[in-house]
Amino acid sequence: MTTVQRVQPPPTPVRPGVVARAGLYALFAANVIVVTVFFVRAGFASNALVLLGRLAGLYAALLMAFQLLLVARLPFFDRRIGMDRLTSWHRRVGFGLLWLLLAHGVFIVFGYAQSSSMGPVDQLVDLAETVEGVLRAVVAMALIILVGAVSARYARRRLAYETWHFIHFYTYLAVVLAFTHQVAAGSTFTASPTATAYWYTLWGVALTSVLVGRLVLPLWRNLRHRLRVTAVVPESDHVVSIYVTGRDLDRLPARAGQFFLWRFLTRDRWWQANPFSLSAAPDGDRLRLTVKTAGDGTAALRRLKVGTRVFAEGPYGAFTTMHRTRQDTLLVAGGVGITPVRALLEELHGHVVLIYRVATDRDAVLYEELTELAHAKGAQLHLITGPAAPDKLAPHELALLVPDIADRDVYVCGPPGMTTAVLRSLRQLAVPGRQIHAERFSLAG
């Protein structure tokens, strides 16, 4: 494959991910302060339990809006932080949101029950019947609990991705119901014109971000580029490369190391979105993905016909040269995790060492390509085969292969177990954290 020379920015000590994360933290902290100020200005006429319930509800509303921002797939944050980390934050924040909503409901019901001498259940029924918006809040909480239950690790591992994803869409209905509840029953929402304007702006920005990032931008890019399959090339018995082309691909902001959510628009596959990394650096004319055909869905990709229309969402991911801090690089790949690493090798300048870990020689996907590319770029390529034990990527072995490892950026991609082990080895070798770049490619592999 022809190597295309690209202009690559020099390494920088100012990490884009740090700047983006600091911006998100500062934005969230500022909004917490604003919400707290509005709560205080609304007054303390109710009893302590009701006040605690209202404060929990306000913080829950803020977290819900922040949740939308985390999954909006806005390119600025995705390229600097990475979808894997944003998704992890979304999950953690989601469980915090669930507890805040439960606290909101419990404190409000028990607080009003204390004032009216009614039982908690009767009080909840009374509020739902007499106060506008409360019934909608109960439905929204039930939906959030449902989504939280299916997102727990035990349930998530036993659900098909499509089933889990469909259930997750109920979150958007819960958001709408929660917002209308806040408009109808939120005393802080209507405490002042400034507070009302703030909440409308917050929800407007959050919902617009989701609409733009998840719907408008993918639709616009696919209408513009009109992607189609141009070739399907078997690489081995269980690996296939798919070449995709389209219009104006030089204007598609894709980088080596990133991935797309691919939909191949055939009668039996149009509804399935598969996340696969680019296995070659984008050259402005075509894109390539290389897939291990592990199940029925991916096995069907071998039978794709030339000319098949493609709908691709992305590019996504922060596993790119944007985050370099050193001139020289170490790339560590395991199994089919070689695909984004192979693309990175094509784009990187400076001295590169590539360590490729597989069980057997037959599992070394794209190895001939890697050998040719490494020779052309003056890179060192180490193919490591054999069983997982003993660990051939332990600190001692890594130090022997790459004596100057602490002076390099290190990119790691592979199965979760291997990635975790390599990251542990890097910490033991005192490689600075700012020089380590890894994304969990369980979605994109």
Side-chain angles (χ1 to χ4, degrees), residues 10 18 54 140 145 151 204 221 231 315 334 344 393 413 417 419 428:
V18 171
R54 288 177 178 171
I145 292 173
S151 297
R221 282 180 174 166
L344 280 174
L393 297 178
C413 182
T419 299
Q428 293 178 24

Side-chain angles (χ1 to χ4, degrees), residues 83-94:
M83 185 189 289
D84 66 325
R85 188 167 284 117
L86 290 170
T87 302
S88 176
W89 291 354
H90 171 77
R91 185 177 183 277
R92 295 176 184 177
V93 171

Side-chain angles (χ1 to χ4, degrees), residues 30-329:
N31 279 274
V32 169
I33 293 172
V34 171
V35 167
T36 305
V37 169
F38 285 144
F39 170 75
V40 172
R41 287 185 175 179
F44 301 96
S46 302
N47 63 41
L49 288 177
V50 173
L51 288 174
L52 285 174
R54 288 177 178 171
L55 185 60
L58 291 173
Y59 288 153
L62 177 59
L63 273 187
M64 195 175 290
F66 195 68
Q67 280 279 74
L68 295 177
L69 185 63
L70 290 177
V71 294
R73 297 179 184 170
L74 298 177
F76 178 85
F77 291 113
D78 181 80
R79 292 171 189 165
R80 288 161 176 79
I81 299 175
M83 185 189 289
D84 66 325
R85 188 167 284 117
L86 290 170
T87 302
S88 176
W89 291 354
H90 171 77
R91 185 177 183 277
R92 295 176 184 177
V93 171
F95 287 111
L97 169 63
L98 177 60
W99 287 111
L100 276 175
L101 287 174
L102 289 172
H104 170 64
V106 169
F107 284 137
I108 288 290
V109 169
F110 276 82
Y112 277 106
Q114 187 180 76
S115 301
S116 65
S117 299
M118 297 175 64
V121 175
D122 291 336
Q123 183 63 66
L124 176 61
V125 172
D126 181 70
L127 289 172
E129 291 177 345
T130 60
V131 179
E132 183 183 0
V134 171
L135 183 58
R136 293 194 291 270
V138 172
V139 175
M141 184 178 294
L143 291 174
I144 293 293
I145 292 173
L146 171 64
V147 172
V150 301
S151 297
R153 292 188 188 277
Y154 179 84
R156 177 68 186 88
R157 290 170 180 169
R158 286 159 177 78
L159 286 175
Y161 173 78
E162 289 78 13
T163 302
W164 173 84
H165 194 255
F166 177 78
I167 295 174
H168 221 69
F169 271 114
Y170 283 114
T171 303
Y172 296 111
L173 176 58
V175 167
V176 173
L177 292 173
F179 175 67
T180 59
H181 161 69
Q182 188 178 18
V183 171
S187 59
T188 305
F189 187 91
T190 57
S192 69
T194 304
T196 303
Y198 165 80
W199 284 108
Y200 272 116
T201 301
L202 178 70
W203 284 109
V205 169
L207 291 170
T208 300
S209 297
V210 172
L211 183 65
V212 170
R214 302 291 291 265
L215 182 62
V216 175
L217 188 57
L219 285 174
W220 179 75
R221 282 180 174 166
N222 281 274
L223 287 172
R224 180 182 190 181
H225 299 297
R226 297 186 180 276
L227 302 175
R228 289 184 181 274
V229 174
T230 56
V232 180
V233 180
E235 303 287 356
S236 71
D237 291 341
H238 302 290
V239 178
V240 62
S241 288
I242 301 170
Y243 292 80
V244 175
T245 192
R247 299 188 311 182
D248 301 326
L249 289 188
D250 57 316
R251 297 187 179 185
L252 182 66
R255 298 284 299 271
Q258 292 189 299
F259 68 94
F260 289 77
L261 299 177
W262 303 91
R263 292 179 188 269
F264 298 97
L265 304 183
T266 62
R267 181 174 299 179
D268 58 340
R269 290 193 56 84
W270 65 267
W271 54 275
Q272 289 184 324
N274 295 110
F276 298 124
S277 300
L278 297 175
S279 61
D283 60 7
D285 293 322
R286 61 180 180 176
L287 305 171
R288 186 182 76 171
L289 56 147
T290 301
V291 181
K292 183 176 181 180
T293 54
D296 293 339
T298 51
L301 296 178
R302 301 176 70 92
R303 301 188 294 273
L304 281 176
K305 295 180 180 179
V306 172
T308 298
R309 291 290 302 272
V310 181
F311 189 95
E313 299 176 49
Y316 298 127
F319 195 70
T320 68
T321 58
M322 174 190 286
H323 300 274
R324 289 186 313 142
T325 64
R326 294 291 185 272
Q327 186 65 32
D328 297 334
T329 310

